Every structure is written in C-alpha cells, then in structure tokens.
C-alpha cells in the first residue's frame, strides 16, 4: 500500500526523487487522477456521497500501489501519485492497468451503484531532468487529454510531438471530408418481440489505408480541437439523412440514429442544417433519432435543454446514449424530452454473470418504461443475453449478435435477407 502524504510532503518527496544522485537506472512516473464525476455526484446525491466516493477512490489508489509509492490529495476531485524506482516502462503500464481496474469498480452509495469515470494523466522521467512543478504540470496536461479518451489514460507528449501528430491528422481529416473519404456504417437495431429490424445506428468510419481505421470518437475529438467539427457534422448528418431517404425509397421503412457530440449541441445552426437535409432528401423528421451521451445532456444544463427542445419541436426523436455511465438525476431525466434510452454495453455484456449488472439493467428498463421511453440494450453479443433482455421486456437490441456495423449496401442486403428468412427473424 502506498504512503498517504499531504501535498506539501508529496512535493518534497518528488523533489528528492528528482535529484540527479538518485541515478538513471529506473523510471519515475507522476500521475494525476481526475475525479470530475465526484462533482456530478454532489449534484445528484449530495456532498456526503461525493465525499464518500472521493475517499473511496483515494483508498483504492493507495491499495493498488506499492509501499514505496506515494499518494496525496490535491482536492476532492484530484489526486497525485508518485511511482518511483520502476524497473521499466512495462512495469508502469501494468501499474496503470491495475490502478484503472481498481478505480473503475462500481461504488455503492446510498442505495445507488455508481460507475466511476476517472481520468489519469501520466508524466515520465528517466533522466530526472526538470523540476517537480514541470512534471506535475505535464501530468496535469496529460490528464486533460485523458478525459476525452475512452481508456481514460493519457501520457504527456512534448509540445513538438503533440503538434506534429495533430497537424498531420488535421490536414488528413480536412482532405478526407473534402474528398469524401469518410464513410458511414450502419448497425441494425432489432425489435426484441418481433425480430424485425426497426432501424440502424449510423457510425462514422475513416479508413486511412495502410495507417488503418481511425476510431470514430477520436475523429470527432480531432475535429473538435481543430475547428473541423462543423463541416464534419454537416457531412455526417447530411449523409445519414440521404441514406435514410434511400432506404425508404428501396421499400425499407427504417429509422436512422445519428450521434451528436456535446459540442454539436452548442452549435446554434445545427437544427437548421438538419432541417435542410430533411427537406433535400424528402425524409420525415420522425425517421431520424439523434443520440446524445448522458454526459453531453447533463452538460451546460440550460443551453443543452434549449437545443434538445428545438430538435424535439422539429419532430426528431431523441435518445440518451450510454445510459448508466453519467449521473442524471431523476428530476433531470423527467424534464428531458427523450424518446429512447440506450443502456450502455458495460452493464449488458456481463449481465448474466454479474448479478448486480442484471439488476441495474432491469431497473433501467423499468425506469425507461415508467417515463414512456423506448429502451435499447447496446453491445448484445449472445443469444442468452438477448433472451434474458426479452424476459425483462427490453424493447430493442443492438450488438454483434445481430450484426457488426456494415457499409450501406451490405446493411441493405442484410435487412432484405432477414425479412425474407423467417428462421432468422427471431434472434
Ligand atoms: P456509441 O454511439 O455508443 O456506439 C456504439 C459502439 O459500440 C460502436 O462503436 C459499435 O461498433 C460498438 N458495438 C456495437 N455492438 C457491439 C457489441 O456487441 N460488442 C462490442 N464490443 N461493441 C459493439 P464505434 O463505431 O467504434 O463508435 C464508438 C463511439 O464513437 C460511438 O459510441 C459514438 O459515441 C462515437 N461515434 C461514432 N460515430 C459517430 C458520429 O458520427 N458522430 C459522433 N459525434 N460520434 C460518433
Ligand atoms: Mg450511439
Ligand atoms: Mg452507446
């Protein structure tokens, strides 16, 4: 278990470890752990719940580290650790995995299960150059980048490294948007009662040839940072609406779900842009669902509510994506004009083996129904899970069991084949 220090003692210890006479045979790492979710908990469950969660994370962190490591609390939402004398980078990677696993375990608070979403920034020193404040600043900058990553961990990159990789990607993304190198894949959404494909989620794909696929959440992040989010969103919305029109003209009455980022929600021209695409491609607004993550909806309460109401007034459907990973309060959920809840796959994937997750899924389904919403389970990979979800009265499923996301043509073939093959219709 790591030593728990005050911040001042931690700083002294770091200064000591960074003296040249400590040698260069081992690696030292400074880690900043951000616990922003604690502030959300304060709002949803009260300060005492926030305090308890923050204390629990500190305790878990200390337990996950070695006796020679140190931990200090900077604030309720920020912890720092010093891992000294690591034999290699490999040891650091293992330590980070151990820390992340410990911190992400659910916490039980006042009858609620909370899934912590920590972000970890890492700065590493082998040659012990620089001073404690520089290393701490680097770890803090990395932590900010980690907040946007699904794995929740980021290493500090020197300014030169960061700039060159983002400039390369920025230029490449700009070209990709202009030259139509981006694609949208479609993943079926299936009605659990009838087995009929009701719609599809549009998922962004960018194949950079030998450089491989770029993950869609990363594309969105690069676009947000480099001012390309507007043209990118315009392209995604327009293309997905156009494809929806093609589906209907091909005789397939399908709904298309489009993912909208938190930043998109703050763009005042987005509703008009979508309205224009609907007119252009002759698509009825109730054939389009906009998916927003729970945290995007909880962000900036007043302005996001305004945009959501605007979309709703246009006749579009609204879904809360990745439900269960954010911190919506009941009151907020009741006030949002939502049509659909999508249960995050973290609960669904192991619901047959982890009883707690099954209970959570069950209560999310009941909650959605109590609020007159459709409920979709994401990440359904096995028939057993689908059957259990059907017993729990879940409305729809999405996941590899039915199909991976497919290019438009293959998706259309899939829907046609499924509608003519009764044997398939009930999976
Ligand atoms: P999401 O909206 O929650 O999308 C579901 C993700 O789960 C997709 O990952 C999908 O391929 C994956 N998935 C579906 N079924 C299964 C399953 O059975 N098992 C597993 N392991 N995974 C499954 P993908 O396509 O990599 O997208 C990741 C995230 O990127 C999306 O999460 C969404 O937040 C974002 N994203 C994708 N396309 C767009 C877009 O056009 N705009 C915006 N703003 N975000 C997008
Ligand atoms: Mg989605
Ligand atoms: Mg999701």
């Amino acid at each position: 278990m790591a030593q728990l220090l005050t911040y001042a003692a931690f700083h002294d210890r770091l200064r000591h470890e960074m003296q040249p006479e400590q040698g260069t045979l081992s690696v030292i790492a400074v880690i900043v752990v951000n616990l922003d979710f604690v502030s959300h908990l304060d709002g949803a469950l009260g300060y005492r719940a926030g305090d308890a969660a923050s204390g629990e994370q500190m305790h878990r962190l200390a337990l996950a580290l070695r006796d020679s490591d140190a931990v200090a609390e900077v604030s309720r939402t920020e912890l720092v650790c010093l891992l000294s004398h690591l034999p290699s980078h490999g040891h650091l990677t293992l330590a980070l995995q151990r820390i992340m696993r410990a911190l992400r375990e659910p916490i039980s608070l006042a009858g609620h299960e909370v899934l912590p979403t920590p972000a970890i920034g890492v700065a590493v020193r082998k040659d012990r150059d620089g001073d404690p404040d520089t290393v701490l600043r680097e770890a803090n900058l990395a932590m900010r980048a980690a907040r946007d990553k699904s794995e929740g961990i980021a290493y500090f990159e020197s300014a030169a490294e960061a700039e060159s990789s983002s400039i390369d990607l920025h230029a490449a993304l700009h070209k990709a948007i202009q030259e139509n190198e981006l694609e949208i894949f479609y993943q079926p959404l299936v009605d659990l009662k009838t087995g009929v494909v009701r719609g599809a989620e549009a998922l962004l794909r960018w194949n950079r040839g030998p450089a491989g696929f770029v993950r869609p959440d990363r594309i969105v992040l690069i676009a947000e940072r480099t001012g390309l989010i507007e043209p990118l969103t315009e392209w995604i919305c327009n293309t997905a609406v156009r494809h929806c029109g093609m589906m209907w003209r091909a005789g397939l009455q399908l709904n298309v779900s489009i993912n909208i980022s938190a930043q998109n929600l703050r763009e005042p021209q987005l509703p008009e842009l979508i309205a224009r695409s609907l007119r252009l491609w002759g698509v009825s607004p109730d054939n389009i669902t906009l998916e927003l993550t729970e945290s995007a909806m909880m962000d900036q309460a007043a302005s996001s509510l305004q945009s959501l109401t605007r979309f709703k007034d246009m006749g579009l459907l609204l879904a809360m994506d990745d439900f269960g990973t954010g911190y919506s309060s009941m009151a907020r959920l009741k006030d949002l004009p939502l049509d659909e809840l999508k249960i995050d796959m973290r609960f669904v994937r192991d619901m047959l083996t982890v009883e707690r997750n099954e209970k959570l899924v069950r209560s999310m389904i009941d909650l959605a129904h109590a609020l007159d919403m459709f409920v979709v389970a994401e990440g359904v990979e096995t028939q057993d899970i689908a059957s259990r979800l059907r017993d729990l009265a879940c409305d729809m499923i999405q996941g590899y069991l039915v199909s991976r996301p497919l290019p438009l043509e293959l998706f259309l073939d899939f829907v046609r084949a499924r509608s003519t093959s009764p044997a398939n219709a009930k999976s």
Side-chain angles (χ1 to χ4, degrees):
M1 178 164 172
Q3 267 182 289
L4 299 177
L5 301 179
T6 61
Y7 182 67
F10 179 90
H11 199 274
D12 288 347
R13 168 85 179 272
L14 179 58
R15 182 178 299 283
H16 172 75
E17 292 291 345
M18 290 189 72
Q19 316 254 304
E21 58 269 26
Q22 295 296 324
T24 56
L25 285 175
S26 59
V27 179
I28 64 172
V30 169
I31 296 177
V32 172
V33 179
N34 176 277
L35 307 173
D36 263 356
F37 72 95
V38 166
S39 324
H40 293 283
L41 281 180
D42 291 338
L45 300 176
Y47 286 111
R48 276 176 50 187
D51 278 343
S54 173
E56 172 68 20
Q57 294 294 82
M58 173 95 165
H59 181 64
R60 289 177 180 185
L61 190 58
L63 279 180
L65 294 171
R66 300 164 308 168
D67 296 348
S68 53
D69 300 329
V71 179
E73 189 182 56
V74 182
S75 71
R76 289 167 86 241
T77 58
E78 209 146 294
L79 309 173
V80 285
C81 323
L82 171 61
L83 282 68
S84 37
H85 308 291
L86 289 159
S88 69
H89 273 271
H91 287 80
L92 174 59
T93 311
L94 288 177
L96 289 170
Q97 285 169 358
R98 204 168 54 237
I99 293 172
M100 206 36 146
R101 222 175 304 125
L103 295 183
R104 279 184 167 173
E105 277 288 306
I107 305 180
S108 298
L109 283 174
H112 295 268
E113 284 283 341
V114 172
L115 277 187
T117 48
I120 297 185
V122 190
V124 183
R125 281 292 187 283
K126 185 155 170 57
D127 46 18
R128 289 173 160 67
D129 59 338
D131 58 290
D133 291 317
T134 309
V135 194
L136 282 161
R137 196 173 48 81
E138 290 177 2
N140 185 280
L141 283 171
M143 176 275 287
R144 286 163 202 277
R147 283 199 283 213
D148 299 324
K149 292 184 153 194
S150 58
E151 60 274 27
I153 299 180
Y155 286 83
F156 175 75
E157 292 179 90
S158 71
E161 279 172 279
E163 192 154 315
S164 71
S165 67
S166 79
I167 287 176
D168 284 355
L169 275 172
H170 170 249
L173 180 58
H174 189 69
K175 178 168 165 287
I177 298 171
Q178 300 225 306
E179 299 184 2
N180 237 346
E181 286 170 14
L182 300 175
E183 273 182 278
I184 291 183
F185 278 30
Y186 291 90
Q187 188 177 31
L189 286 147
V190 169
D191 186 318
L192 256 180
K193 272 200 213 88
T194 61
V196 171
V197 180
R198 293 271 174 235
E201 174 168 8
L203 293 160
L204 185 59
R205 292 292 180 266
W206 180 18
N207 186 352
R208 296 191 69 201
F213 274 96
V214 185
R215 289 206 354 234
D217 31 358
R218 180 149 166 75
I219 305 173
V220 170
L221 194 71
I222 301 165
E224 286 185 342
R225 289 205 179 140
T226 55
L228 287 174
I229 191 69
E230 276 181 41
L232 178 69
T233 308
E234 182 168 354
W235 183 86
I236 293 169
C237 291
N238 190 51
T239 309
V241 172
R242 180 164 62 87
H243 288 164
C244 182
M246 284 165 65
M247 293 173 195
W248 281 73
R249 279 188 291 280
L252 304 173
Q253 299 172 0
L254 297 167
N255 176 288
V256 169
S257 298
I258 304 175
N259 290 286
I260 297 292
S261 75
Q263 189 168 331
N264 286 155
L265 202 57
R266 283 175 239 135
E267 286 167 27
Q269 66 281 30
L270 187 62
E272 182 43 42
L273 199 146
I274 296 178
R276 213 181 319 136
S277 296
L278 292 170
R279 285 194 298 273
L280 185 62
W281 306 110
V283 170
S284 162
D286 58 0
N287 294 323
I288 299 291
T289 302
L290 300 183
E291 289 191 7
L292 280 122
T293 60
E294 189 175 7
S295 39
M297 289 208 192
M298 293 305 136
D299 225 29
Q300 308 242 332
S303 69
S304 66
L305 185 60
Q306 230 171 23
S307 308
L308 291 173
T309 313
R310 177 93 194 273
F311 289 131
K312 196 70 211 142
D313 292 344
M314 286 166 59
L316 296 158
L317 303 179
L318 294 178
M320 186 183 274
D321 204 354
D322 303 345
F323 184 61
T325 59
Y327 302 95
S328 6
S329 64
M330 295 284 168
R332 180 90 174 125
L333 207 55
K334 173 179 73 58
D335 289 341
L336 290 171
L338 292 173
D339 302 280
E340 183 179 307
L341 280 191
K342 296 189 81 172
I343 304 177
D344 192 77
M345 68 176 92
R346 282 203 253 171
F347 302 96
V348 175
R349 264 196 307 218
D350 54 5
M351 61 179 272
L352 296 186
T353 43
V354 181
E355 199 192 342
R356 199 160 47 183
N357 282 350
E358 199 208 54
K359 286 186 183 155
L360 287 170
V361 168
R362 180 201 299 262
S363 45
M364 288 189 242
I365 294 172
D366 293 345
L367 176 67
H369 288 160
L371 295 171
D372 288 327
M373 296 178 203
F374 265 110
V375 58
V376 181
E378 298 188 292
V380 177
E381 295 184 359
T382 69
Q383 183 59 57
D384 287 347
I385 293 183
S387 306
R388 186 76 194 111
L389 286 163
R390 186 167 29 211
D391 294 344
L392 296 176
C394 181
D395 302 303
M396 293 204 273
I397 55 168
Q398 174 180 357
Y400 296 168
L401 171 67
V402 178
S403 165
R404 290 190 177 248
L406 300 168
L408 179 66
E409 283 307 321
L410 291 181
F411 168 74
L412 295 178
D413 291 345
F414 173 89
V415 179
R416 288 192 192 103
R418 208 177 150 99
S419 59
T420 53
S421 154
N424 263 343
K426 282 248 163 175
S427 77

